[in-house]
Amino acid sequence: MNPGRLEEAEKIEAADPGGMLRQVASSAAQVREARRAAAEAGVDGLAEDGRPRAIVVAGMGGSGISGDVLAAVCGIGCPVPMTTVRGYRLPGWVGAADLVIAVSCSGETEETLALAAEAARRGCRLLFVGAGGSPLADLAEQTRALFVPVRSVGQPRSTLWGLTVPLLLAARSLGLTDLPDAVLESTATLLEDVAHRCRPASEPFVNPAKRVALDLAGDVPLVWGSSALAGAAAHRLTCQLNENAKYPAVFGEIPEADHNQVMAFDGFFARTASSPEPGSLDPEDFFRDRSDDPEHGLHLVMLSDIDEHPQVRKRREASVAMARDRGVAVTELGAEGAHPLERIASLIALGDYVTVYLAIALGVDPTPVPAIQELKARIA
C-alpha cells in the first residue's frame, strides 16, 4: 500500500485509466437524467391499475442494489412488501397481482432476463429498466412491459442512481413513498457536495474518502449498518470493496450482527501483533503501512442512521466500545440529510469514493472486473 498515490490528482488520474472516479462523480447527473427518462417513459401510469400486492425487483450486482435502495427509502412502514430476487427463478407466490421490476444496466444479464420472461409468463405487471436496444428492451416490447431506458456511465455498479430513480418514481406513483421533486433535487445537490469533498485534488487529511481508504488498507472490514437503510448502504459498500478494490469485506446489520459477528472481536483477526492491550489503544496513524504487520487486523466500519430503534442505538454504541476495548480499529460514518433518500445517498456516495481510493492506494485498477468476465466465459 502506497499512501503517496493519493496525494496528487495527476497520480490518481494515472492510476484510474478507466475513469471510475469520474463515473462515481456522475451520480448527481444520473438522478436528474433518470427523473426525466422515467417521466418520458410514463412511469406515473403504473398507478392506473392500482397498487400491486407486492413488488419484486429482479436484478444482479450493481443493478440489484437498486431494489435494496427502493425498499430502504420506502421503509418498514410501506404497505406493500418488497423483495429483491438475485437468481434465475421467481418465488412460487409471485403472480398476476404483483409488480415485477427487472433491472439490468446492460440489458443482457442472463439471470434478470430469465426472471423477466418468467414474470411475463405468469401474467405479472411489468416494469423493465435498462439499456435501450438491448435484449431486455426487446423483451419489454414483446411483453408490452413499461420500459425505462438508462444510459450507462461506464460500469453497472457506477450507474446505480440512473437505475434506481425510475424505481423510486414508480413507488411514488403508487403512493408507497413521499418523494417530492424537491427531494430528488436536494439529493442530487448532496451528491454533488460529497463529490466536492472527495475530489481527487483534495489532500488526504481533509478528504474523508481518502482518510477512510488509508485507514482500511490491510485490515479485514466488518461493515455494519444500524438500520435497514444503513444496512443497505453497508451491503453496497462491501460489494464496492469487492469490485472496485478487489478487496474482501463482511456485511452485517445490527441487531443481527450482535448475535454472531460480534464474536469476531475475540477471534483470530481481532488484533494485529503490534496492537496494545485492550483499554490502552492509542490513536493510530492512518498513514501506517499495515502490509509490514505480521498479521492484519479486524476493522469495524459502522454506518449509522438518524432513524434508529432506541435499542439498536444502544447496541451500536456498545458494539463500538467493545471493539475499541479489544484493540479493533473502528471507523464510524453517519448519514447526512433528513429524507431517507438523502440519507442513503450520502452513505453510498462516500463509500463509493472510499473503495476507489483504496484500490488506487493498493495499486489496483478499480474499473475492470476480470474474474467476473472469466467466470462468465467459463459457463458460456
Side-chain angles (χ1 to χ4, degrees), residues 276-300:
E277 291 299 317
S280 61
L281 185 65
D282 295 323
E284 188 175 278
D285 178 5
F286 65 80
F287 288 107
R288 176 171 64 83
D289 187 349
R290 295 167 188 255
S291 62
D292 293 332
D293 289 348
E295 295 180 44
H296 299 312
L298 203 63
H299 196 126
L300 177 62

Side-chain angles (χ1 to χ4, degrees), residues 55-236:
I55 294 178
V56 178
V57 178
M60 304 297 299
S63 300
I65 295 290
S66 64
D68 299 340
V69 176
L70 172 66
V73 172
C74 290
I76 59 174
C78 180
V80 171
M82 299 180 179
T83 186
T84 300
V85 177
R86 296 171 165 92
Y88 292 91
R89 294 179 178 177
L90 288 173
W93 56 263
V94 178
D98 306 309
L99 171 62
V100 174
I101 307 177
V103 185
S104 170
C105 186
S106 67
E108 300 176 349
T109 309
E110 65 175 20
E111 298 96 330
T112 306
L113 289 170
L115 292 171
E118 185 179 352
R121 288 193 296 270
R122 295 191 191 184
C124 300
R125 295 166 63 176
L126 303 172
L127 169 61
F128 296 169
V129 179
S134 66
L136 186 64
D138 293 341
L139 184 60
E141 185 175 357
Q142 296 166 14
T143 61
R144 298 182 179 179
L146 181 62
F147 181 75
V148 180
V150 172
R151 179 183 62 85
S152 174
V153 300
Q155 293 293 319
R157 61 189 185 273
S158 305
T159 314
L160 173 64
W161 299 108
L163 297 168
T164 302
V165 168
L167 277 61
L168 295 171
L169 293 178
R172 182 178 76 174
S173 73
L174 295 168
L176 302 179
T177 183
D178 180 18
L179 186 62
D181 287 344
V183 170
L184 288 169
E185 181 55 33
S186 65
T187 300
T189 301
L190 177 58
L191 289 168
E192 288 174 331
D193 182 58
V194 175
H196 177 72
R197 281 180 269 160
C198 299
R199 65 194 184 279
S202 177
E203 296 182 357
F205 66 89
V206 295
N207 185 316
K210 289 182 181 180
R211 287 203 309 272
V212 174
L214 292 169
D215 202 27
L216 282 179
D219 280 353
V220 180
L222 289 180
V223 188
W224 292 3
S226 66
S227 68
L229 184 149
H235 180 219
R236 163 72 172 188

